[in-house]
Amino acid sequence: MSTIAPSTLPSGISQKMLAQLVEELHSREMVLQAMIQRFEEHYGGSLEVLEARLARGEGPEHPDWEDSIEWRNAVEALQRTRTLRSLLEWLLRSIARSPAS
């Protein structure tokens, strides 16, 4: 695996800043996971089950439809957040292995 010299980071970006961003993303993941868990408990199942029920026209449209949108957004945001955190962690590991660090 290649390493990245800290000096190649963009101006104003430090290892410390990257580490802080990783922590912020981790906190965001926790919030999103809690939101998703709240929906799972409220609806007694998965988002896919709720979406299928709504597609069949079963149950109340409001607020279930709005909840399904918010739930889907949380699931997608969690996936993006995890990807971004993984990328930043990789970057930090690459910098940490750099002989110039």
Side-chain angles (χ1 to χ4, degrees):
M1 180 181 207
S2 62
T3 58
I4 299 169
S7 62
T8 62
L9 291 173
S11 176
I13 304 293
S14 67
Q15 285 179 267
K16 181 179 179 181
M17 181 183 288
L18 291 175
Q20 289 171 336
L21 288 171
V22 167
E23 287 303 313
E24 287 177 25
L25 289 169
H26 179 71
S27 295
R28 179 164 170 74
E29 283 181 55
M30 301 293 280
V31 169
L32 291 166
Q33 287 172 335
M35 182 184 300
I36 291 166
Q37 182 177 0
R38 190 176 70 242
F39 283 123
E40 289 171 344
E41 290 169 359
H42 178 76
Y43 288 99
S46 70
L47 172 61
E48 291 74 19
V49 170
L50 175 60
E51 289 176 334
R53 184 173 56 77
L54 289 168
R56 291 189 304 269
E58 298 172 0
E61 187 173 314
H62 299 285
D64 291 4
W65 188 255
E66 289 87 356
D67 284 352
S68 74
I69 293 168
E70 189 175 346
W71 192 351
R72 171 66 57 199
N73 288 342
V75 167
E76 291 171 359
L78 180 59
Q79 291 169 339
R80 288 189 308 272
T81 301
R82 285 178 172 161
T83 299
L84 185 52
R85 183 179 51 81
S86 177
L87 176 62
L88 290 176
E89 287 172 341
W90 171 85
L91 182 57
L92 279 170
R93 286 190 306 272
S94 296
I95 292 169
R97 281 195 296 276
S98 173
S101 61

